[in-house]
Amino acid sequence: KELFTYSRHNAFVKGQDSNIIHDAIAVAWAMDGAVCGGEERHVRVRDDAGDRDGETVADPAGVAPANTWVAMTTDTARYKGLLLQMCRYYREIE
């Protein structure tokens, strides 16, 4: 409930389009690789004990050797379809 309230506040009160549920997109991508488009990038987690400690940082220029795949785009219609399919499935098994 708290996530929904936060998400709705950002979308409707603050005017930000930040209603992406990242874990659900990761699961949808695992189910259907066409949900996201992306590329290989070097990604690391900051551990310098500064204010940004724990932040995930991707090499935007692609200079460092790639160590993971990073989603850059989402097929919104495909994602919504999978999400709705999942919600219907769980509603029916209750």
Side-chain angles (χ1 to χ4, degrees):
K1 181 179 177 183
E2 291 174 15
L3 178 60
F4 176 75
T5 302
Y6 171 81
S7 184
R8 184 170 51 179
H9 175 77
N10 277 345
F12 298 111
V13 177
K14 294 169 70 176
Q16 298 177 2
D17 185 15
S18 59
N19 286 316
I20 298 172
I21 304 170
H22 295 89
D23 290 345
I25 285 187
V27 171
W29 174 73
M31 292 170 59
D32 178 355
V35 167
C36 296
E39 53 197 46
E40 297 283 328
R41 287 290 175 105
H42 181 83
V43 177
R44 68 181 183 86
V45 177
R46 293 178 66 120
D47 62 353
D48 54 10
D51 290 344
R52 297 170 77 178
D53 196 32
E55 176 183 53
T56 303
V57 181
D59 175 19
V63 177
N67 62 358
T68 193
W69 187 86
V70 178
M72 305 295 276
T73 62
T74 302
D75 181 333
T76 305
R78 195 175 199 108
Y79 168 66
K80 284 181 179 179
L82 281 172
L83 192 58
L84 288 172
Q85 180 182 356
M86 179 197 65
C87 290
R88 286 186 198 108
Y89 170 80
Y90 283 108
R91 182 183 66 205
E92 291 173 6
I93 64 169
E94 277 191 10

